[in-house]
Amino acid sequence: MASSAASPRDPRSYATEEILRDGGSICIRAIRPIDGPLLLEHFGRLSPRSVYLRFFGPRKRLSEEEVTRLTELDFTTHVGLLATLLDGGAEHVIGVGRYIVVDSNAVPRGAEVAFAVLDEHQGRGVGSLLLQHLARIAETNGICEFEADVLGDNERMLDVFAASGFTVKRSTDAGVVHLSFPTEETDASRRIGQRRERQAAARSIRSLLQPGAVAIIGASRNSQGIGSAILRNLISTGFNGRIYPIHPEAAELEGLPAFAAVTAVGSAIDLAVVAVPQPSVEAVIADCARANVHSVVVISSGFAEASDAGRLAQERLKHLVRGSGMRMVGPNCIGVLNTDPAVRLNATFSPVWPPAGNVAVLSQSGALGIALLEHARARGIGISTFVSVGNKADVSGNDLLAYWAEDPRTRVIALYLESFGNPRKFARVTPDVARQKPIVAVKSGRSAAGSRAASSHSAALANLDVAVDALFEQAGVMRTNTLEELFDLTALLSTQPLPPGPRVGVVTNAGGPGILLADACEAKGLTLPELTSTTREALAAFLPPQAGLANPVDMLAAAGPEDYERAIAAVGNDPTTDAVVVIYIPPLVTRPDEIAAGIARGAAEVPTEKPIATVFLSGPGAPAALGGGPRGPLPSYTYPENAAIALAAAERHARWRRRTQGEVLTLDESAATAVRAVVDRVLEEADGPRWLSTSDVATVLSATGVELAGFAETSPDDSVAAAERLGYPVVAKAISSGVLHKSDVGGVILGLDSRPAVAAAVDTLRERLQRVGAPLERVLLQRQVDGVEALVGVTMDPTFGPLVVCGFGGVLVELVRDVAFRLTPLTDSDAAEMIDGLRSRKLLDGYRGGPAADREALIAVIRRAAALVEIVPELRELDMNPVKLLAPGRGAIVVDARMRIGPLS
C-alpha cells in the first residue's frame, strides 16, 4: 500500500512510495508537463524487444507531438503515472503506466491501459503496482472498465493482468490478446494486493536483520562515541558477515581496514549504520545510495524529535532513502540486533547482548530499548531480533510485523509503542499475524489521552487511549499496563501453549498464596473448577490427611519433590483443568532446586496443550532446573497475581483466535445513492462542518436501514396539531441553535397524552430555554417508545479515523461510561464483542425483572452505523442516543439522532 499518497481525488499531485516484491523501494507519481525529457530517456533505455511489445512494432524515437500528448494530461480521461528511482541524486523513470478513456460518452465508461517497464526492472512488480494505482484513480473518476491489447508472446505483461486479482476476460485475434476487466476492487484483488504488500515488506527487512556485510559510518580513531561502540559490539558478538568501518582519514579501526567512503569499499553492502552528526547524515546516505546499499540504520538524532528544521531534514532523508531503493530504520534510534547463530548481528550501542530465543522486540524508545534487553536477559527470556525504530521515518512496526510473521525463529512479538504512524494499516496487517504468533504491547500515554471539547456523546466518550484499546481488541494484540506485565506475559507465551479454556488447576505448599491466586484468577475471568473424584483419590493416596484436596491443592509445607511431581501430573491430567499453576514457598525442610526438579518432572506428564506456570515465593527467584526440564522451560513468577494476570491474558487471546472473523456489512447501491444525495447537497450549501437537519438525518438513517421514531418538526404554535397527526403518547423536544444537548436544559418532556398536555409542554420548554438565554425556535414531536436505552455513534479521531461506539445509559452514558469502541470497518463478530464487553450487558437479558431487549437488533444498528462511514467519509460525528431496544425479535428504534459532516481536508 502507499505510504504517503495524495488523495485519488487530486491525481495531478499523486505521489507515494511503494515496496517492490524483492524488497526494494520506488516512488510512484503523476506525470507532469515538464517530464518530457524523463520520458524520452526512459524510451531510450527500453530494449528493442520491449519497444516492440509496447508499441506493436519497431520504434526508434518519440516525436515532439507524442511527448506533448503523453505529458499534458487532464487526469480524468487520460492519466499517467511514473515509477521512479534516484541515481546520483537525479530522478530516473523505470516504469510508465497510463490509461486513456476510449469513448467519453460511453456508459459504462471504459479506458485502455498500458505499461512500459525497463528490462532490468521487469519481474519486480512495477507493472502490478502501477496497475493497482491506476485502477484506484480510474474508479474514483467513474471509469468502470479497463481494456488492454497485449501481444501473445508478451508473457510478463499477461502475467501482470492474470495475477492482479481482477476478473479478466480474454479473447485472441491474430496473435493479439484483448483483455478487459472492471476497475472496482474485488475481494480477490484486495487480498492479492495485501499479500503482495506484506511479502514485499518482509523481504525489505531481511537486509536489515540478516545482512552479509555491514558498513559502520561514525566510528572514531580514539574508540570513543556511539559509532565506535557499535563497531565493537559487531566484532565482540561475532558477526558472521563482513564489517567495513568508514572513516575519512583512518586506515584501520578496531583492527579492521577502514575506507574513506562507502563507495570506496568496492564490495556489496547490505546494511550501513550511520552515527555521524545530523548535518552530515544526508551526504552519508547519498554516498550509500551511490554504493547501492540495501538498507540503512540512522542512529543520529536531531531530526523530527528536535525541531521543525529537523522535521524537514527527516523528510528529505526519507525521500532520498526511498527514492534510491533503500529502507531505513530511525533516525534517532539505538540500532538493530539478531541473535541467530548464523548471523550474530549487534548493530546497536547497547551494552547488553541478550540470550538467543524466540521473542522479537520492537521499541520506540532507545533508552527503554536498552532496559528491555537488560530485563530480558535477567528474566532469561531469549530474543530472536530487536529493532529500535526511533522516529519511524521509514521502517515501521507494520513492516516489522510482516517480517516477523514469516521469521521461523520468532514465536512471540513484544512491542513498546509511543505513537502510531498508520493505525488503520496496523489494524489491517496485525490480525493475520496475531493468529499465527501472539503480539504483546505496552502503549504509553494513557494519562495523556485526555480531553478535548466535544459536541456529541460519541465524541465526548472518545479519546486517544480508547482508540488504542479498540485497535488492539480488534487486531488481537494483548495490551499490558506495565513493562513487568509485558515480560510476565511474554515469558508464558514464549514457552507455553495458549490455554484451551479458562479452568485453572493449582498446586501449592501453602494455603495463603493459593487463595491469593484464586482471587486473582476470578477477578480476571478465570475459574478454579472442582477436581474430579478420581483426581482427588489419586492425591489422597500420597498426600497427608491434613492436605487440602480441593482446588487449590494444598500439599502443606512438608511437600517434597516427589509430592510436587505426582500432584502436578494428577491435576494436569484432570479433564476439568485447562492450565496448571504451581506455587512454592520455601519452608525449612526442602530445597528450592530439588523442588524445581520435581516440578519439571511433573510438568512432563501434563498434556502438552495445557500451559504450566510456576510461582516461586523465594528471595533468589526461580531455580535453573525450571529452565531445562523434559517439557522445556517453565515460566516462573514472583507473586501469584502476576501468574494469574498473564494466564488470563493468554486465555483471552486464545478465545479471540477461536472466534469467527465475521462479515463486514456493505450497504447496497440504492442506499448509497440516497445517502450521498443528502450529503452532497448539504456539503454544497455549507462552507464548513455542519449538523444535518432532523429530516435529513431521518432520510440518511432510513436509507441506511435504521428505524427512527415517527416525528414531526414544527413551530411551537403548530405543535398541538402535529401531535394529533402523530398520535399519542408523544415526546416534545426543544430545538434551539444555542442548545446542543436538550436534556441538559430540560428540553425533553415525556408522556404527553393529550392536546392540553402538549400545549403545556410547549410553554414549559419556552420558559426553560429562556432561563439559559436561548429561544425556542422549533419543537420536535416524536412518538414515545419504551425499551432498554442504548447509545450507538461514530466519532472521527484525527489519528485513528472513524470510531464506532456503543453503550448503555441514555442521557447517563457519559456518567456511567460503560462503552466500547471499534475502528471501521467492523464485522458482526466485532459488534457482538463490543456488546459482550460492556459491564451492563445483562440489561439485555432482563436484569432484575426488567424487560429483555433485542440484542441482535443492537448488533444490526452498530453494523449499519459502521457501513454508513464507508459511504460518507465526510462524517465527523453521529449520535444515536437513545436507541430504544424492544423485546427480543422486535427490533430497535432510534429516538434521537444527530449527524455532523464536513468537507474532506
Side-chain angles (χ1 to χ4, degrees), residues 186-267:
T186 65
D187 288 340
S189 65
R190 186 183 302 110
R191 286 194 302 271
I192 288 172
Q194 291 174 355
R195 183 171 65 248
R196 182 193 303 123
E197 178 186 9
R198 288 195 298 270
Q199 291 172 344
R203 291 188 181 115
S204 74
I205 300 300
R206 287 177 189 166
S207 60
L208 277 163
L209 294 176
Q210 302 176 36
V214 178
I216 306 296
I217 306 106
S220 63
R221 284 184 290 190
N222 61 10
S223 297
Q224 300 297 311
I226 289 174
S228 295
I230 296 171
L231 179 57
R232 286 193 299 272
N233 277 347
L234 274 171
I235 296 170
S236 64
T237 55
F239 175 58
N240 284 321
R242 300 178 303 280
I243 304 173
Y244 298 107
I246 308 298
H247 193 280
E249 299 172 354
E252 65 89 20
L253 291 172
E254 299 293 338
L256 295 173
F259 299 84
V262 178
T263 46
V265 172
S267 297

Side-chain angles (χ1 to χ4, degrees), residues 1-4 17-19 193-194 197-198 200-202 322 327 394-402 420-433 471 475 799-800 823-825:
M1 288 292 289
S3 58
S4 58
E17 289 136 355
E18 287 282 7
I19 305 172
Q194 291 174 355
E197 178 186 9
R198 288 195 298 270
R322 293 297 293 270
R327 299 303 310 271
D394 178 25
V395 169
S396 68
N398 297 327
D399 298 312
L400 292 165
L401 286 172
F420 285 95
N422 190 339
R424 301 195 75 78
K425 182 176 179 180
F426 183 91
R428 189 178 69 248
V429 170
T430 305
D432 287 342
V433 181
L471 173 62
T799 301
F800 288 76
L823 279 69
T824 61

Side-chain angles (χ1 to χ4, degrees), residues 726-746:
L726 281 174
Y728 299 106
V730 297
V731 178
K733 301 179 180 181
I735 297 177
S736 175
S737 55
V739 175
L740 288 174
H741 298 305
K742 305 175 185 67
S743 55
D744 290 348
V745 296

Side-chain angles (χ1 to χ4, degrees), residues 692-854:
L692 269 63
S693 68
T694 304
S695 59
D696 282 341
V697 172
T699 300
V700 168
L701 292 185
S702 176
T704 308
V706 176
E707 183 177 356
L708 183 66
F711 71 95
E713 183 181 327
T714 72
S715 67
D717 293 340
D718 294 334
S719 297
V720 173
E724 290 287 308
R725 292 192 297 271
L726 281 174
Y728 299 106
V730 297
V731 178
K733 301 179 180 181
I735 297 177
S736 175
S737 55
V739 175
L740 288 174
H741 298 305
K742 305 175 185 67
S743 55
D744 290 348
V745 296
V748 179
I749 301 178
L750 307 174
L752 307 177
D753 56 4
S754 65
R755 295 171 62 93
V758 173
V762 172
D763 291 338
T764 301
L765 292 175
R766 185 179 287 110
E767 293 171 3
R768 289 175 177 174
L769 263 63
Q770 285 175 349
R771 291 178 199 152
V772 297
L776 180 63
E777 298 166 0
R778 305 279 286 173
V779 174
L780 179 66
L781 294 164
Q782 279 185 305
R783 287 293 303 270
Q784 184 160 317
V785 180
D786 296 320
V788 173
E789 291 191 346
L791 159 76
V792 176
V794 177
T795 185
M796 184 65 65
D797 183 273
T799 301
F800 288 76
L803 296 172
V804 178
V805 57
C806 81
F808 293 106
V811 296
L812 299 178
V813 67
E814 289 177 45
L815 177 64
V816 178
R817 300 192 74 85
D818 184 18
V819 293
F821 285 84
R822 292 293 185 273
L823 279 69
T824 61
L826 62 79
T827 67
D828 50 348
S829 295
D830 292 324
E833 199 172 65
M834 291 174 76
I835 297 170
D836 291 340
L838 298 173
R839 298 188 304 275
S840 48
R841 62 186 177 277
K842 292 182 180 179
L843 289 172
L844 298 175
D845 301 324
Y847 184 67
R848 290 196 171 182
D854 197 331

